[in-house]
Amino acid sequence: MVAKKCAAAGSSSRAQRNMQEKHRRIHMKDLISQLASVIPCNSKLSMPQILDEATSYIMHLQKNKESLERKKALLKGDDHPEPTVMNISTSGSTLEVNLICGLNRNFMFHEIISALEEEGAEVINVTRFNSGDRVIFSVQSKAINSRIGVETERVQERLKDLIL
């Protein structure tokens, strides 16, 4: 008799767990359906595809939001410009300086050229790109005297003083 009660209690709790699991699956299916209804997609997708599309769409929305916030700050004229990024690379007797700065960042570009020339570099090419709310400058130069070269650390310090 005790064995029958244990068996009955066991099957009762098993049935209860089965019902809970069924409700959980139904709830998950409803949530996935809601998620699928808010992502831009025209075809019927599997659950992993819906999750993948939703993740991609959320990342797209975040990037769009950040871009719009930067444009808004630029239009408002906030005094919080994005930092200027400087990268200097050398290869043999050539020196390349890349600067990335905000559109509203003011510095005298001729001073950068003068600093390079004073440090023994002859400017070969200067390129400027506008990329959204950023400006990218690329300056290629070579050492006037290839035996002496250009002291990269000194150039970097002088340019930091000018632009950062």
Side-chain angles (χ1 to χ4, degrees), residues 6 9 11 17 53 63 69 76 87 92 98 126 131:
C6 286
S11 71
R17 284 193 308 269
E53 287 291 322
K63 287 179 184 175
E69 286 174 344
K76 285 175 89 178
N87 181 30
N98 294 304
V126 176
S131 175

Side-chain angles (χ1 to χ4, degrees), residues 93-131:
S93 64
T94 61
L95 176 77
E96 183 173 347
V97 178
N98 294 304
L99 300 170
I100 303 172
C101 58
L103 287 173
N104 58 352
R105 178 76 176 155
N106 295 324
F107 57 86
M108 301 295 181
F109 197 71
H110 73 277
E111 291 177 348
I112 293 172
I113 303 298
S114 295
L116 287 169
E117 290 174 345
E118 289 169 8
E119 294 300 324
E122 177 186 7
V123 175
I124 300 169
N125 186 27
V126 176
T127 308
R128 175 189 168 159
F129 301 101
N130 285 349
S131 175

Side-chain angles (χ1 to χ4, degrees), residues 8-51:
S11 71
S12 167
S13 65
R14 182 181 212 185
Q16 189 177 18
R17 284 193 308 269
N18 287 345
M19 284 301 285
Q20 287 174 341
E21 179 62 20
K22 183 178 180 180
H23 287 300
R24 187 193 67 79
R25 285 193 311 269
I26 290 170
H27 183 65
M28 288 295 291
K29 185 177 179 183
D30 290 342
L31 292 174
I32 294 291
S33 295
Q34 289 175 9
L35 184 61
S37 70
V38 296
I39 59 173
C41 187
N42 297 331
S43 61
K44 185 166 174 74
L45 302 173
S46 68
M47 186 185 320
Q49 290 171 325
I50 291 170
L51 294 173

